[in-house]
Amino acid sequence: MMITNHSTSSHIAPRWRKGGTLISLIAVMLFMGILGASVISLTRTSEHSYLTANSGSRAYYLAESGLRYAQQVYCSDDGWLHGRQQTLTLQSSEQVDIIRIGDFFWATAIVHAGTAMEARARVPMPVSPCGGDPTVGTPNEFALLGESAINLRIFALIQGDIAIAGDDVDVQGVVDGNIFAEDVTASAFSWATVTGDIFASGMVDLWTGSFQGDIHSEEGIRLTGGLSVIRGWLFSNGTIEVDRYARVRGHIHSCGGDVSIGGNATIGTASDPVEIRAAGDVIISSNATVYGDVHAGGTISLDGTIVGNAYAGGAITNTGSISGTEMNLSPNLVKEPICPNLEALDEISLPDATVFTAGGSDVSLPGGESTVLPPGSYGALSSPSNSRDTRLYLNAGATDHGNYYFDSVNMGRRMALYLNLSGSYDIRIFVEGNVEADWQQGVFISTDGTNYVRMTDSSLDPQTAARVYWESHGDYTLLGFSGWFGSVYTPYGYLSVAVGSNLYGSFFSGGGHRISASRILHIPPNYFDD
């Protein structure tokens, strides 16, 4: 019997094949180990790259936040002068270092300091002008609002914004706010002060005074007096003229003309240099000094001093002094001026006049006595011209506004007005004709119906004046050393306030304003909120 081993030979490997299988298995295990280690290494590298990239992005965004903070501080009362440096430390111990160098803020942010994930970002940003283009809101936002010229006589103090549609503002006192008008002037007869910005659709012509904010003008800016001090920026779509001895602490941008600097004028300071940018020529007269760079799309005619660089699209005629680089015929190096957009000034308008009718019995107040007048419709309201202790009481409503209607009002001297605001509603007075009032004996306010205090008393909240409104469709004249507590609107007539008066409220006029040596504290009326 023949026996073969064919079947067994197919299932039993030879010894050399068994050894090869073991080696292959070890090789596979070794390869898998190397591959696993590589995957772990790649994962860790990827995670490290992600964290590093994330740190870099965070540093960049922190630097941007620091720049926005710096611009906000720059536009505040504190300001941010050239060379000033500040370090901000966040709760996560991350830091942002900010410094102003000329017209740029530089912010350096550091995250994960001292670790493998440390990242830094250094980001620049140009210093932007404060205020920007104007925005014109509701009538309630203005202390004075009108469609005809406003004359602010010597020693006038306006604590609020002024807006005039298509006419002029002549400033001879103090405006603690912004001015929106066609032309804005400050004459040579008194010192003017404006703490806010000036926006003019026409010319700005300032003789003497201190102007804290930026000046924006469509047609041009003239600083015609040697005592002008401008702390803000100048922007114009026309020419800009700085007369001799004037001082400008902000940048100067002329988009539609030339910039001329008179003799002995000073632009910028050594510690806070500025820039002059003109689409046209720049003329700097003898003994004038500009601290900062000058950019002219046209030529530069220099007879003074530039403590900085000079760049011109045309030629530079230099008989003065330039401390830095002088580059003529170099239009590519000239920075373009920032142009104001004053279209919003066209939106200034008065509120609609109230439609009402008066009529009824005339009211003549007896001299030396008190008269309580209930809300209602009357004819002419008058009082003796020289009677002492003549007192008029007006009342707010308990269930509705205390509305008073008169044909005309003529209040003689030595009058006292008592406004009872103990009710839940307001006092509203409407006059078809002219008003002449003299509350020389004072305006008194009660919020409990019993106790009256002068309108200027420290115990009385000035915001209470929002509850009193007076509308006259003729002229309104407030005589000297008087006062008014509440808002006044003369949509068709003139609004005149004589010397030494004290007013709390808003004062609107379609026929023009004249404010002489008086104080106005802006309190928005409730009336236009209804």
Side-chain angles (χ1 to χ4, degrees):
M1 181 177 179
M2 187 175 185
I3 300 174
T4 65
N5 60 359
H6 176 77
S7 61
T8 57
S9 64
S10 62
H11 296 283
I12 300 175
R15 291 181 180 179
W16 63 266
R17 185 174 294 180
K18 288 182 180 180
T21 301
L22 180 60
I23 292 173
S24 298
L25 180 60
I26 292 173
V28 169
M29 292 176 64
L30 181 59
F31 173 76
M32 293 299 293
I34 294 173
L35 180 62
S38 300
V39 170
I40 293 173
S41 177
L42 288 172
T43 302
R44 288 177 177 174
T45 301
S46 177
E47 289 178 352
H48 184 275
S49 300
Y50 170 78
L51 292 173
T52 302
N54 188 53
S55 297
S57 298
R58 178 166 177 76
Y60 179 83
Y61 291 127
L62 284 177
E64 278 200 330
S65 298
L67 293 172
R68 288 193 294 270
Y69 166 80
Q71 180 65 42
Q72 182 178 0
V73 173
Y74 172 77
C75 290
S76 70
D77 293 336
D78 295 336
W80 195 303
L81 297 178
H82 164 72
R84 176 182 171 184
Q85 186 169 359
Q86 185 174 348
T87 300
L88 306 178
T89 302
L90 308 181
Q91 291 182 346
S92 56
S93 298
E94 295 166 334
Q95 290 186 341
V96 181
D97 294 321
I98 310 166
I99 186 171
R100 179 182 172 188
I101 303 175
D103 293 329
F104 281 84
F105 289 118
W106 289 86
T108 303
I110 306 173
V111 299
H112 301 301
T115 70
M117 298 296 107
E118 179 178 313
R120 295 170 178 258
R122 179 170 168 81
V123 182
M125 182 183 76
V127 178
S128 299
C130 303
D133 297 326
T135 56
V136 179
T138 63
N140 276 359
E141 296 179 12
F142 303 106
L144 298 180
L145 173 64
E147 294 180 343
S148 297
I150 287 183
N151 296 315
L152 303 180
R153 298 303 185 185
I154 185 170
F155 301 129
L157 170 59
I158 314 300
Q159 294 178 277
D161 292 350
I162 297 175
I164 298 298
D167 216 323
D168 307 339
V169 173
D170 181 16
V171 185
Q172 295 185 32
V174 177
V175 177
D176 190 7
N178 303 311
I179 297 177
F180 306 83
E182 181 174 3
D183 296 330
V184 178
T185 60
S187 66
F189 301 108
S190 68
W191 185 266
T193 300
V194 179
T195 64
D197 296 339
I198 295 175
F199 301 91
S201 57
M203 287 289 301
V204 176
D205 193 346
L206 308 177
W207 187 271
T208 58
S210 175
F211 305 91
Q212 307 294 322
D214 300 334
I215 299 176
H216 311 245
S217 172
E218 181 65 35
E219 296 182 1
I221 299 172
R222 287 195 299 262
L223 307 181
T224 55
L227 297 178
S228 297
V229 179
I230 313 295
R231 302 193 180 279
W233 295 31
L234 304 182
F235 303 91
S236 177
N237 289 321
T239 59
I240 297 178
E241 302 173 32
V242 180
D243 204 354
R244 58 194 185 94
Y245 293 103
R247 288 165 288 170
V248 178
R249 297 293 179 259
H251 302 261
I252 297 177
H253 293 252
S254 174
C255 293
D258 303 335
V259 173
S260 61
I261 311 297
N264 295 291
T266 305
I267 312 300
T269 65
S271 60
D272 195 10
V274 298
E275 256 186 1
I276 294 178
R277 300 186 192 179
D281 301 335
V282 175
I283 303 97
I284 302 174
S285 300
S286 176
N287 295 320
T289 303
V290 175
Y291 292 95
D293 295 344
V294 176
H295 295 260
T299 63
I300 296 178
S301 176
L302 176 64
D303 194 23
T305 301
I306 297 176
V307 184
N309 304 311
Y311 306 95
I316 297 178
T317 303
N318 180 10
T319 59
S321 171
I322 300 175
S323 68
T325 302
E326 178 180 343
M327 297 291 292
N328 65 352
L329 305 176
S330 303
N332 293 334
L333 298 178
V334 176
K335 295 182 180 179
E336 294 184 358
I338 299 173
C339 304
N341 180 1
L342 300 167
E343 294 180 356
L345 297 181
D346 297 334
E347 301 173 9
I348 296 175
S349 62
L350 288 169
D352 293 335
T354 304
V355 178
F356 65 89
T357 56
S361 300
D362 293 344
V363 178
S364 179
L365 304 179
E369 297 184 17
S370 298
T371 301
V372 178
L373 198 63
S377 184
Y378 303 92
L381 174 65
S382 61
S383 69
S385 60
N386 287 299
S387 296
R388 290 180 177 274
D389 300 325
T390 302
R391 298 176 295 277
L392 174 63
Y393 287 78
L394 303 179
N395 299 307
T399 59
D400 199 356
H401 297 300
N403 292 326
Y404 292 84
Y405 302 90
F406 300 100
D407 288 338
S408 62
V409 174
N410 189 346
M411 295 286 97
R413 295 183 180 277
R414 303 185 184 281
M415 283 287 301
L417 178 64
Y418 291 77
L419 302 176
N420 181 359
L421 295 172
S422 61
S424 301
Y425 291 84
D426 300 342
I427 294 176
R428 296 175 172 180
I429 305 161
F430 302 91
V431 183
E432 288 189 328
N434 294 331
V435 173
E436 184 173 304
D438 181 3
W439 315 111
Q440 198 174 98
Q441 294 300 308
V443 177
F444 299 84
I445 312 298
S446 175
T447 56
D448 61 7
T450 302
N451 300 303
Y452 285 84
V453 298
R454 286 187 179 271
M455 56 174 279
T456 55
D457 193 279
S458 60
S459 65
L460 179 65
D461 183 1
Q463 297 299 322
T464 310
R467 299 182 54 197
V468 183
Y469 175 78
W470 189 306
E471 184 173 324
S472 299
H473 288 188
D475 295 334
Y476 178 98
T477 303
L478 186 66
L479 301 182
F481 302 99
S482 187
W484 176 246
F485 191 79
S487 295
V488 176
Y489 182 24
T490 59
Y492 311 115
Y494 207 85
L495 198 163
S496 177
V497 178
V499 173
S501 296
N502 220 331
L503 301 96
Y504 292 178
S506 300
F507 299 86
F508 304 162
S509 174
H513 296 70
R514 177 175 291 146
I515 313 296
S516 299
S518 297
R519 173 177 178 255
I520 293 179
L521 176 62
H522 177 217
I523 307 294
N526 292 338
Y527 187 74
F528 298 111
D529 290 336
D530 288 355

